[in-house]
């Protein structure tokens, strides 16, 4: 997909439609673990840079909405997978830090110790990268 994105566009659309359907079904029972959804989330994060115009806005909004609304009832493995997907998209600069970091800070309320450790490392490393060359005042103030 990375070398010839135009060639795989049809296959991408099929898988992306499946992911959308899985997310709609997932919102009905947010506490249920779905291994296929977890795989599709990871897949979408990895191809988000290639198909940025198709994936970026939808996936970012959906994941952030799900994490904000259902963070306390989500399956811990699936919640960690969603945060990991956001981190991957953030690393590829598909998602803005001003959008992701407040939601990640909100997730510290969860009773999941492994998630909190992971969030701590993600937030600290992202802030270090952002402020490496010069301070990013507007993001630092928001947080």
């Amino acid at each position: 997909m990375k070398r010839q994105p135009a060639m795989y566009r049809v296959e991408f659309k099929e898988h992306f439609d499946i992911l959308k359907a899985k997310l709609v079904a997932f919102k009905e029972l947010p506490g249920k673990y779905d291994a296929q959804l977890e795989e599709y989330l990871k897949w979408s994060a990895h191809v988000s840079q290639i198909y940025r115009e198709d994936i970026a806005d939808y996936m970012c909004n959906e994941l952030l909405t799900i994490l904000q609304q259902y963070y306390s009832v989500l399956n811990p493995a699936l919640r960690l997978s969603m945060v990991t997907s956001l981190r991957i998209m953030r690393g590829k600069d598909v998602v803005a830090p001003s959008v992701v970091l407040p939601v990640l800070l909100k997730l510290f309320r969860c009773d999941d110790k492994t998630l909190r450790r992971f969030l701590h490392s993600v937030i600290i490393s992202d802030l270090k990268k952002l402020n490496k060359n010069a301070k990013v005042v507007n993001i630092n103030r928001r947080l």
Side-chain angles (χ1 to χ4, degrees):
M1 284 188 147
K2 289 182 181 180
R3 293 185 184 178
Q4 299 173 342
M7 188 177 214
Y8 292 101
R9 175 131 338 246
V10 174
E11 186 178 344
F12 163 75
K13 291 281 189 189
E14 291 173 3
H15 286 291
F16 193 57
D17 289 340
I18 293 170
L19 173 62
K20 286 180 181 179
K22 288 212 167 278
L23 282 172
V24 169
F26 174 74
K27 286 181 182 178
E28 308 237 346
L29 291 170
K32 185 180 175 189
Y33 176 72
D34 188 356
Q36 281 186 331
L37 177 61
E38 186 176 10
E39 292 298 319
Y40 273 111
L41 287 173
K42 291 176 185 176
W43 169 80
S44 69
H46 286 289
V47 299
S48 63
Q49 189 174 17
I50 302 165
Y51 300 105
R52 183 183 298 245
E53 64 277 353
D54 298 322
I55 254 183
D57 291 334
Y58 178 78
M59 282 306 296
C60 176
N61 291 336
E62 283 297 313
L63 288 178
L64 292 175
T65 303
I66 289 172
L67 286 171
Q68 285 179 332
Q69 289 180 352
Y70 307 114
Y71 71 91
S72 61
V73 295
L74 285 174
N75 181 289
L78 203 51
R79 182 174 46 223
L80 187 63
S81 177
M82 288 180 181
V83 171
T84 305
S85 297
L86 281 173
R87 178 179 178 254
I88 292 169
M89 287 193 282
R90 175 67 204 110
K92 294 181 179 202
D93 207 25
V94 175
V95 181
S98 60
V99 175
V100 174
L101 290 175
V103 176
L104 295 182
L105 287 170
K106 184 178 180 180
L107 290 176
F108 269 108
R109 298 179 191 163
C110 291
D111 291 333
D112 189 356
K113 190 173 184 177
T114 56
L115 176 70
R116 287 194 308 265
R117 278 189 187 151
F118 182 69
L119 287 171
H120 181 265
S121 67
V122 167
I123 292 169
I124 296 298
S125 67
D126 203 16
L127 286 175
K128 280 183 183 178
K129 284 181 198 173
L130 287 172
N131 292 307
K132 186 176 183 180
N133 295 329
K135 288 189 177 185
V136 184
V137 178
N138 60 350
I139 294 174
N140 291 339
R141 282 188 185 158
R142 283 188 192 167
L143 298 176

